[in-house]
Amino acid sequence: MAVVGAARARGLARSAAVAVCAVMPLSALADLVDMLPRIKPAIVAVGTYQPTGSPAFRFRGTGFAVGDGSLIATNAHVLPDAVANEQMESLAIAVPGEKRSTVRKAARVAVDKNHDLAVLRIEGPPLPPLALNSSGAVREGQSVALTGFPIGSVLGLAPVTHRGIVAAITPIGIPQARAQALDPVLVRRLANDPFRVYQLDATTYPGNSGSPVFDPDSGRVIGVVNMVFVKSTKENVLSDPSGISYAIPIEYLKSLLEGLD
């Protein structure tokens, strides 16, 4: 019976491998394998640092290097409303390393609350920046990947990558048929700037907020993962919010960066 069971397990494993290859071409997997060494050095953890704290670095979200490498892009909601300077707490990033992470101080230099984006400037040498998408429109169905810290520092500060597709390009706020379904956040969103976001068929978690969504072939960033901000408007009528993931189009980050010139 043990022999039969082992043989059956091997058969199931082979079937699973065939199924994965059928869904995702080997060439696509190879492209991502070759691309990740270029992506991961740009990925950082965003949080606060307090020398006497336990832990000293408190994780809040993911960020990635852009521009000249001294700038970090992330979500605005990842940043604390205020930093307790009297307790020597400061905004900071943690750069993952082979043995341990390196913490650097950071300062916010631009915030776009309407699109939930922020840019920080870090101390120390620049990081390898990621290129932002500039050629061609993003299309529904195209393959994407994202890299970040899905559960924060719980599993260690090691960047994790997930694959998926752009499932839809959809408005961030959906007009509601009943007035009872409206709340102040949704009303402001529909009135001010009902822009479109990328709905992703990809696995993300709260710690992924601020992660870059990139083209596995070119490595160019097409969007920034956003969970809290989008769900608070788009899924406001759901009593049990879905596991669908969203990203803010990169054009809004590019506009924020242009304002720094």
Side-chain angles (χ1 to χ4, degrees), residues 176 179-189 232-233 236-237:
Q176 303 300 320
Q180 293 88 336
L182 294 172
D183 63 21
V185 175
L186 180 57
V187 170
R188 287 196 301 271
R189 175 62 54 226
S232 67
T233 53
N236 71 313
V237 296

Side-chain angles (χ1 to χ4, degrees), residues 138-161:
V138 173
R139 301 169 62 190
E140 294 183 350
Q142 77 174 67
S143 296
V144 296
L146 59 97
T147 301
F149 306 99
I151 316 179
S153 57
V154 174
L155 301 180
L157 288 181
V160 178
T161 300

Side-chain angles (χ1 to χ4, degrees), residues 23 48 67 82 92 129 232:
V23 173
T48 58
S232 67

Side-chain angles (χ1 to χ4, degrees), residues 159-180:
V160 178
T161 300
H162 295 95
R163 284 198 68 116
I165 65 169
V166 177
I169 302 175
T170 176
I172 188 173
I174 305 298
Q176 303 300 320
R178 296 179 298 108
Q180 293 88 336

Side-chain angles (χ1 to χ4, degrees), residues 29-184:
L29 292 172
D31 291 341
L32 184 57
V33 169
D34 293 337
M35 184 58 63
L36 284 182
R38 292 169 49 189
I39 299 295
K40 292 176 68 174
I43 308 301
V44 302
V46 178
T48 58
Y49 178 74
Q50 184 180 351
T52 58
S54 181
F57 178 79
R58 294 185 180 275
F59 175 89
R60 294 184 62 90
T62 300
F64 58 98
V66 294
D68 63 0
S70 68
L71 300 176
I72 301 296
T74 188
N75 288 152
H77 80 259
V78 164
L79 306 183
D81 292 333
V83 176
N85 292 323
E86 66 274 8
Q87 298 178 5
M88 298 182 67
E89 184 180 23
S90 60
L91 191 61
I93 66 161
V95 183
E98 291 185 6
K99 295 184 178 180
R100 64 184 182 86
S101 300
T102 302
V103 177
R104 299 195 201 175
K105 287 187 177 181
R108 65 190 86 195
V109 292
V111 177
D112 176 1
K113 290 188 176 181
N114 195 44
H115 300 102
D116 196 30
L117 294 170
V119 178
L120 312 177
R121 190 179 300 278
I122 57 173
E123 296 182 352
L127 299 174
L130 297 184
L132 306 185
N133 187 54
S134 60
S135 57
V138 173
R139 301 169 62 190
E140 294 183 350
Q142 77 174 67
S143 296
V144 296
L146 59 97
T147 301
F149 306 99
I151 316 179
S153 57
V154 174
L155 301 180
L157 288 181
V160 178
T161 300
H162 295 95
R163 284 198 68 116
I165 65 169
V166 177
I169 302 175
T170 176
I172 188 173
I174 305 298
Q176 303 300 320
R178 296 179 298 108
Q180 293 88 336
L182 294 172
D183 63 21

